[in-house]
Amino acid sequence: MATAAREKFDNIIEIKNVSKVFDGITVVDDVNLAVRRGEFVTLLGPSGCGKTTLLRMIAGFEVPTNGTIVLEKQDVTGVPPHLRPINTVFQKYALFPHLNVYKNIAFGLKLKRIPTGELDKKGRPILRKFTKDEIAEKVERVLKLVNLESYGHRSITGLSGGQQQRIAIARAIVCEPKVLLLDEPLGALDLKMRKEMQLELAAMHKNIGITFIYVTHDQEEALTMSDKIVVMTDGAVQQYGTPKAIYDEPANAFVADFIGESNILSGVMKKDFCVEFCGADFECMDKGFERDERVDLVVRPEDIAVSRKSGALCGEVTSTVFKGTYYEMEIRAADYEFTVQNTSEFRTGETVYLSIAPNGIHIMKKLKVVNEFKGVVTSENTVEFCGGQFEFINSAGLEKGTEVRVSIPFDKIELTDDARDGAVGANVTQTFYKGTYYQVQVYTDDDHDFFIDTVDEWDMGDRVGIAVKPEDITVTVFETAEAEGVSE
């Protein structure tokens, strides 16, 4: 019994320090992940974050540039897809239009060989095909599992999108893989059908009992179906945990912004259990930060209480929308526009007071407090870093070729509409509203990231240039040991 219990909860997949580089661009960056047997794990993130590439490496369609993929304690990093006990369901179902439902599902079974229990003269297992009766039994079983028992004779072209999706899943599970990979399989369905299929997939997972790894960019989909969620951006894992833990306790501003609606603010930890933001002190549940440490914090819209009489912050309702079970309001208070959800309606223009309970405030360490990079002095007044040449004030008389640390505050960087107007070009990857300003993250063409505080709103994917005045660049010499943790 103890052995069976141990096997049930062991790690069926372990991803160790896996990276993938395409044409010099890192799309999966040193990912470490363990998936337990029988779990429903969702890889969640925006388009281009590396989730599908990671899934393809698990399947064997891509080989990692670095790192190891372990399946049931065996290194399968270089093992081809057809030799892994894994099947994949794609967004485009890839069903055979010339075969009926039964033959589509049976296709893999007809190709599969299973051991007879006997050995040949060289001691190798003797393999055989499934019999027609065995194939029929397995096909009928999975058709029942996907609620399409009477559809075996039907043509694929006459089925709806939801029915085709179920057939694709049936074909993937009929060969009894240890792991089922699903790459945005609901993407082609309409909203109503998607919601129905989310519940059906979750129920199907419980009935089958095998490990599901699911890729999506839809937060609601991930929260609805998953045992665990892996939140990714820029090829890296930002947080791995249960849906409740990720929603209630986001690891950083990206997770808080991506999972559900959030108010993300900058604050200062005055002491344990006390944070200051929007000009007021609030009790919170967090401790262990440095005194007066700058932090990010998240407050969910449903955790803000609204009153006409009193509260920690005074504000004005700027908009209100009825959402069925609650009103969603924008309320400007202390130069921040809070998104608030409340069952009571407050009219536009009305003066209100906001209160937040300690358990409604979640404190997060800032990813960065200053941009820091490794660079090299290239002339009397220029330094090269992040693939560009920047002018700086060389008051220390640093010589050409000196390796240096380059520091730039978030609010001292200018983003330009034309990448050619900056020292380097970049793409906007994240934008967070912080009240009186936006915090923007950009990635340069050679894969470095900058954080910028700006009053201008930028959209994800915008192409920009990065410009910095010479007086706003701090250049210092560091010892070799100090270089650790500073971006190349």
Side-chain angles (χ1 to χ4, degrees), residues 73-372:
K73 313 301 181 187
Q74 300 295 317
D75 184 349
V76 296
T77 310
V79 175
H82 68 279
L83 295 180
R84 302 187 187 194
I86 293 174
N87 270 346
T88 306
V89 178
F90 300 98
Q91 182 174 351
K92 295 181 178 178
Y93 311 131
L95 299 172
F96 302 117
H98 62 289
L99 300 180
N100 65 17
V101 168
Y102 181 96
K103 291 180 179 179
N104 261 277
I105 297 173
F107 185 83
L109 292 173
K110 292 178 179 179
L111 299 177
K112 190 172 182 179
R113 302 293 185 270
I114 57 173
T116 62
E118 300 176 353
L119 302 177
D120 64 15
K121 293 180 180 179
K122 295 184 178 181
R124 295 172 301 190
I126 297 174
L127 304 179
R128 69 171 179 86
K129 295 181 179 182
F130 282 114
T131 66
K132 287 185 177 181
D133 287 342
E134 287 174 327
I135 291 174
E137 186 275 329
K138 290 178 179 294
V139 172
E140 292 301 325
R141 179 175 59 83
V142 295
L143 278 172
K144 184 176 182 180
L145 192 63
V146 297
N147 293 319
L148 293 173
E149 299 99 308
S150 60
Y151 281 69
H153 67 285
R154 296 277 294 273
S155 168
I156 288 295
T157 56
L159 301 181
S160 69
Q163 290 167 336
Q164 289 189 32
Q165 193 258 1
R166 293 186 214 177
I167 297 304
I169 293 172
R171 186 177 64 180
I173 64 178
V174 74
C175 291
E176 300 173 351
K178 300 290 181 66
V179 180
L180 182 64
L181 308 179
L182 301 106
D183 188 6
E184 303 209 44
L186 308 185
L189 306 180
D190 61 54
L191 180 61
K192 185 174 183 296
M193 180 60 72
R194 280 179 74 105
K195 290 183 179 295
E196 291 176 359
M197 285 306 304
Q198 287 169 16
L199 299 177
E200 287 199 26
L201 265 179
M204 202 180 298
H205 168 256
K206 290 180 180 178
N207 291 332
I208 300 170
I210 65 175
T211 306
F212 277 29
I213 301 181
Y214 189 94
V215 164
T216 185
H217 61 270
D218 188 311
Q219 302 94 322
E220 181 182 349
E221 204 163 88
L223 293 169
T224 299
M225 298 189 295
S226 313
D227 296 321
K228 298 280 185 61
I229 298 175
V230 183
V231 184
M232 296 182 66
T233 187
D234 303 321
V237 174
Q238 302 298 309
Q239 190 169 358
Y240 181 31
T242 65
K244 180 173 174 55
I246 285 177
Y247 184 85
D248 290 342
E249 299 288 330
N252 54 46
F254 171 80
V255 177
D257 184 62
F258 195 75
I259 303 292
E261 293 194 59
S262 304
N263 297 287
I264 301 174
L265 304 97
S266 292
V268 176
M269 286 298 293
K270 307 303 291 184
K271 58 183 179 180
D272 285 350
F273 310 115
C274 180
V275 62
E276 178 193 6
F277 62 94
C278 290
D281 289 348
F282 291 81
E283 289 185 39
C284 62
M285 306 289 286
D286 299 88
K287 64 178 182 177
F289 293 85
E290 298 292 331
R291 185 177 289 271
D292 294 327
E293 180 179 346
R294 288 186 291 162
V295 294
D296 285 324
L297 59 102
V298 59
V299 181
R300 297 291 186 185
E302 64 270 22
D303 290 330
I304 301 175
V306 188
S307 169
R308 293 185 174 90
K309 296 180 180 179
S310 63
L313 299 173
C314 179
E316 179 184 338
V317 179
T318 59
S319 72
T320 179
V321 178
F322 181 58
K323 291 292 187 78
T325 57
Y326 61 87
Y327 293 90
E328 184 166 284
M329 295 167 283
E330 300 298 323
I331 300 176
R332 178 161 289 279
D335 293 325
Y336 186 91
E337 192 161 74
F338 288 87
T339 299
V340 180
Q341 294 172 354
N342 199 287
T343 54
S344 299
E345 181 182 13
F346 294 83
R347 297 184 302 277
T348 300
E350 191 172 355
T351 298
V352 295
Y353 296 88
L354 307 181
S355 301
I356 308 167
N359 61 2
I361 300 171
H362 176 66
I363 310 297
M364 304 170 292
K365 280 189 171 291
K366 284 186 174 290
L367 294 175
K368 285 185 179 181
V369 295
V370 68
N371 294 293
E372 285 192 341

